[in-house]
Structures are given as structure tokens and as C-alpha cells.
Amino acid sequence: MTVSSPTDWKQLYETVPSEFKESYSRLKRAAEVLTTDPEPEVGLTPKEVIWTKNKTKLYRYVSDQPKKHKLPLLMVYALINKPYILDLTKGNSLVEYLVNQGFDVYLLDWGTPGYEDKNMKLDDYILDYIPRAVRKVLKTSKADECSILGYCMGGTMTSIFAALHPDLPVRNFIFMTSPFDFEDTGLYGSFLDERYFDIDNVVNTLGIIPPEMIDFGNKMLKPITNFYGPYVNLITRADNEKFIKSWKLLQKWVADGIPFPGEAYRQWIRDFYQNNKLIKGELVIRGRKVDLKNIKANVLNLSAERDHIAQPHQVEALMDVISSKDKEYVSIPAGHVSVTFGPKAVKITYPTISGWLAKRSN
């Protein structure tokens, strides 16, 4: 058959089986997503900067909603990736949900470190930044107490802050997929074994740790799922625009990493992953020993059942060492990221946090 005109091509296309047409359509749409589609907008809940220090910004979220709860809430994120995962898109944002529930919400954004920040230690963030942010939140909200939510490594850092500052007026702590016990860290334990991973050589050579290195290590926990899975899913489900929207949002965040200050990274790997000092009561921050039993405030501790970054047993271990009388552990049927973004987050995580906090915020 000779094809010489658009009409001939159209007739030929009509003879192609429908499943081939559908496959071609999905492949074409996936190619558009990867090459020509605009990047999605993120972090859309209105906010204002109320305090800065170095690269760090403290945001207060602005809303016309009346404040229903007396205690403000400060969110503390990790030193890895960017915090807009907590406010990824309208209708799928923990920040937006809590603001709409009448909470006065603040977020501590560490910013993007440069090479000049290579000597920043966990000590600096925990002893110099978080306490000042807490005081600014209290002053701005005109409240006598506040609550803090720490996500991932941000929760681990918050627990250290809490243990070292039992005098500060923080009534409630929420820890979300935050590791505390590093005895069994799965494949991380093999990757970071001090016999094979020379942390001093890494930090002394690089100064600050590039985000690509952090991202590669995380993805190697499940290499097929993490390296190829997203693109297989995109091609398979490219006829679903709702899926494409979520895919683009999540992939933007995953790829939007930030450098890790070298000295803080040295501490994070050596003191936590290699020596498990926090849960043992051996961690020292700027000359002060960290004892988690000093935590007496109300605690909600959330893990994700399918989390391979902060495994449930690493999260739950906190419950045995703190002195809080009001403490609750909840395991969410989700993964490390889907605990805060996606259908399970909207249906389970958000209401769980809001409901627990509302009872303790007046």
C-alpha cells in the first residue's frame, strides 16, 4: 500500500488496533509531561516571612479563617529536600488543612546552604535556630505556649531540642516518620557501615554534601522502584490527568534537593547511623548530653507502615524512653512521603494530627 496523502495516513491509522492507539497516546502524553509541560506550582498557601537567620526563614501562614485554637503550631522540617512537601498543592497540603481547621501555623525553612555553610553543625540548628524560632512564634501569636511538629529528620532534631530545653513553653510535640533508634536501619546500615563508608573522607573532600548524593543513596534502598518505577507508572497511566498532576508535583519535590552542610552530615552519619548515640543517651550537643527522658510534654508519634527510610520500629522506640504521661503512637498505612501527600494523607494523617492537636491546644 502506498501512502501519499494525509487522507491515506488517516485511513491507515484507522486500521491500527485500538490497544496500539491507546499505547501511542499514552506514550505521546508521557513525552509531553517530560519535555514540554510547565512545572507545577507548589507551596500555594499564603504566608509571610516573620524572622530570618542566615539562609533560614520562619514563615507564618496567613488566612481569613478565624483562629479556633489558642496554641500556635511550629513545623520543623529536615535538612534534606525542601519543606513544601508539607504544602505541595491545594487540597493535598497538611499546612492548608491545619490552617483551615483554625490553627495558627508557622514553618521553619532552613533554606539552601552554600559552601560557606559547610561548618554548620546540628548543634547550631538545634541550639541557636529552633529556640529563637519558638520565641518568635510565641511573641507573634501572643501565646504563652506552643506546639511543634517535626517531620523526618526534623522530628529527630526537634526531640533533641525538646530534651535540651525542658524549660521552654512547648506543650505538644508531634513527630512524623522521625527515626530515633538507629540500631537496625535496613540497607542504610550496610551503605553507611564505618568499615566501608569513610565519613571523614567524604566531608573533608566535599565540604557540603551534594543533593544528588543524598537522593542517590535514598533511591538505592529500592533501586528498581525508585529509578524506573516513576517512569513506568507515568507511561502506564498517562491517560489519567489527575495522576499526572500528582506525579509532576511529587517528582518536582524529589528532584528539588538541597546540599547538606558537611559538619552536620558528619554528625548525622557518625553519631546516629554508625553509633546510635541518641537512643542510648550518649549524644552530646555542644557539650551537653541529650537525655530523651527529659521530654515530658504531650507527644503524638506517627510512623508509616511502608516506610523504608524511617522504619516503624525506629520511630516507635521513642515511646519507651520519654517521660511524657500523655503520649500516643500511631502507625499510618502509608510510606515515608505518602504519609504527608496523597489520598492516605488526606484521609488519615491530616485528621489524626488535627484531632489530637485540637484537644490539646486550648
Side-chain angles (χ1 to χ4, degrees), residues 124-181:
D124 302 312
Y125 293 108
I126 293 167
L127 295 180
D128 297 336
Y129 286 69
I130 299 179
R132 295 186 189 184
V134 168
R135 294 187 182 99
K136 187 64 178 181
V137 166
L138 293 171
K139 182 178 180 181
T140 303
S141 63
K142 297 180 174 60
D144 297 324
E145 296 178 286
C146 70
S147 304
I148 299 181
L149 183 153
Y151 178 35
C152 186
M153 180 188 180
T156 313
M157 294 167 64
T158 297
S159 73
I160 300 168
F161 156 80
L164 293 176
H165 296 86
D167 54 311
L168 284 180
V170 182
R171 186 190 299 179
N172 307 303
F173 286 102
I174 299 172
F175 302 107
M176 187 163 66
T177 62
S178 301
F180 303 101
D181 185 350

Side-chain angles (χ1 to χ4, degrees), residues 81-127:
N81 285 89
K82 294 185 178 178
Y84 61 74
I85 186 65
L86 297 169
D87 184 31
L88 203 51
T89 189
K90 190 173 178 61
N92 214 317
S93 159
L94 177 57
V95 167
E96 177 195 50
Y97 183 92
L98 292 174
V99 168
N100 289 340
Q101 293 295 310
F103 290 95
D104 189 9
V105 180
Y106 299 75
L107 172 69
L108 193 58
D109 181 348
W110 302 116
T112 303
Y115 189 77
E116 66 275 12
D117 300 304
K118 65 179 182 176
N119 293 320
M120 287 285 291
K121 302 179 71 174
L122 294 179
D123 309 41
D124 302 312
Y125 293 108
I126 293 167
L127 295 180

